[in-house]
Amino acid sequence: MSRYRQPDGNEVLPDSRLRILLLGASGFVGGGLWTYLAPRHEVVGTFATRPIPGLVHLDLRDERHLAALAADGFDLIVHAAGLVPLEAAEADPELAHRLNVRPVEVLLQAVRGSAAKLVFLSSDNVFDGTRHQYTEDDPRSPVNVYGRTKTAAEDLLLADGRHLIVRIPLVFGRGPWTNTFLARLAGPTTIARMDLVCAPVYLPSLGPALARLWDRTGVVHYGGSDVLTRFELMSRVQQALDLPTRVVAAQGEQVRSGCRRPPRLVLRSTRHGLLGPGLGSALAHLAGLPSA
Ligand SMILES: NC(=O)c1ccc[n+]([C@@H]2O[C@H](COP(=O)([O-])OP(=O)(O)OC[C@H]3O[C@@H](n4cnc5c(N)ncnc54)[C@H](OP(=O)(O)O)[C@@H]3O)[C@@H](O)[C@H]2O)c1
């Protein structure tokens, strides 16, 4: 990947056109990455259950198909597919392992000996949420099945040494075709927790950040600038978009959930200075307003 370095060793040349496989392009995060990457690079994106024109079908459990696709001469394989809803992973740990861990083994095997580099989207849920903030050097201690599958996938990648893990927090914004974040605000009432603290990132900032980081190996964090409760975040988004929902504050014990959630997840980096945009400018952009 060194041909993509600028003289300072950090930046990716904007005119370097790469051949990229984007696993999970039909998803919320994958859609945001597709929007940024597809006009700039040669991108093959995949879907599983939500057909999108221009994307190719792939079930991660079809290991032969996954391996063949991965071995098709890509520079980068950005892996943003898998079982993401925490409750779904908690309810079916075996499925979570099949979708979040096993495909990474298959991918590593498929690209061994080739120039293809894996860029794996991981999560702040690899941490237990008891610290003020987390950098790449902090020990992981997941408290739910989803976090444990992400940790296991990370271990496989770290053992190989030449790939990249990008840990991201809660992502907010509007995707081109899938909107798991805004779906939380779709009902007449939105229950939002006061006892969960996050530093969320704005979806459109992910692609440019990834492009500045993908030359690296190991683990990098990409967090949002502002630290706030889930209730504050949902209230600010509701206001910015004038959504017809009432955001109601709740504590953990009032919310029925089959899954433990880390109480405070703030990702920070010791490896680079990138942070997502401030909430004010992100919400102005989301609402289609000129940012302040
Ligand atoms: N959203 C967040 O706030 C957040 C935070 C931290 C980390 N992440 C990470 O970002 C990545 C994407 O998350 P997301 O929020 O975009 O999730 P998402 O909207 O649920 O998208 C998941 C993607 O995985 C695909 N997928 C699911 N099952 C599959 C299967 N059996 N075979 C092939 N593809 C399959 C989906 O395809 P179909 O939709 O076509 O079925 C979709 O493209 C994940 O690695 C997640 O851990 C997300």
Side-chain angles (χ1 to χ4, degrees), residues 23-31 46-52 55 57-62 79-85 95 98-100 120-125 146 150 166-172 177-181 184 201 206:
L23 300 171
S26 57
F28 172 59
V29 167
T46 72
F47 73 91
T49 60
R50 291 176 277 208
I52 312 279
L55 303 186
H57 179 258
L58 169 76
D59 189 323
L60 290 167
R61 291 165 292 188
D62 182 346
H79 184 13
L83 187 65
V84 182
L95 180 67
R98 284 177 75 195
L99 294 184
N100 292 352
F120 176 67
L121 270 292
S122 189
S123 161
D124 51 8
N125 268 269
Y146 169 75
K150 290 306 216 182
V166 183
R167 291 193 192 125
I168 55 172
L170 177 69
V171 182
F172 69 100
W177 33 65
T178 300
N179 276 297
T180 47
F181 176 77
R184 297 168 195 232
V201 289
L206 274 182

Side-chain angles (χ1 to χ4, degrees), residues 58-286:
L58 169 76
D59 189 323
L60 290 167
R61 291 165 292 188
D62 182 346
E63 297 188 3
R64 267 206 268 180
H65 186 193
L66 177 61
L69 197 55
D72 194 22
F74 292 98
D75 298 302
L76 283 180
I77 299 175
V78 178
H79 184 13
L83 187 65
V84 182
L86 269 60
E87 281 79 10
E90 207 69 20
D92 194 341
E94 194 190 321
L95 180 67
H97 188 276
R98 284 177 75 195
L99 294 184
N100 292 352
V101 185
R102 176 62 190 154
V104 173
E105 274 178 304
V106 175
L107 286 169
L108 282 167
Q109 182 75 31
V111 302
R112 196 152 289 147
S114 81
K117 179 174 183 172
L118 299 179
V119 177
F120 176 67
L121 270 292
S122 189
S123 161
D124 51 8
N125 268 269
V126 300
F127 298 115
D128 63 10
T130 56
R131 295 194 183 199
H132 186 66
Q133 62 180 40
Y134 291 93
T135 72
E136 294 91 346
D137 310 314
D138 286 312
R140 298 162 304 166
S141 46
V143 298
N144 52 44
V145 169
Y146 169 75
R148 283 194 282 280
T149 61
K150 290 306 216 182
T151 307
E154 286 189 359
D155 285 340
L156 293 168
L157 289 152
L158 289 169
D160 190 287
R162 71 183 183 89
H163 303 291
L164 178 67
I165 294 157
V166 183
R167 291 193 192 125
I168 55 172
L170 177 69
V171 182
F172 69 100
R174 195 188 305 277
W177 33 65
T178 300
N179 276 297
T180 47
F181 176 77
L182 290 176
R184 297 168 195 232
L185 290 143
T189 305
T190 301
I191 307 291
R193 284 178 62 172
M194 298 278 286
D195 57 346
L196 294 183
V197 173
C198 58
V201 289
Y202 185 44
L203 182 64
S205 76
L206 274 182
L210 205 65
R212 292 185 66 182
L213 295 171
W214 66 34
D215 214 19
R216 296 167 183 249
T217 56
V219 182
V220 292
H221 286 181
Y222 177 59
S225 302
D226 293 302
V227 177
L228 69 174
T229 67
R230 291 287 188 107
F231 173 72
E232 288 166 328
L233 175 65
M234 292 308 187
S235 301
R236 295 278 303 272
V237 174
Q238 184 277 327
Q239 285 158 21
L241 297 181
D242 196 20
L243 296 172
T245 186
R246 193 168 61 91
V247 182
V248 177
Q251 301 289 336
E253 62 274 12
Q254 299 166 282
V255 180
R256 224 180 314 141
S257 165
C259 180
R260 266 182 82 192
R261 285 171 189 269
R264 182 184 172 93
L265 289 173
V266 178
L267 292 181
R268 292 293 177 256
S269 181
T270 54
R271 300 192 62 193
H272 61 82
L274 289 181
L275 274 178
L279 195 64
S281 61
L283 291 178
H285 183 266
L286 184 60

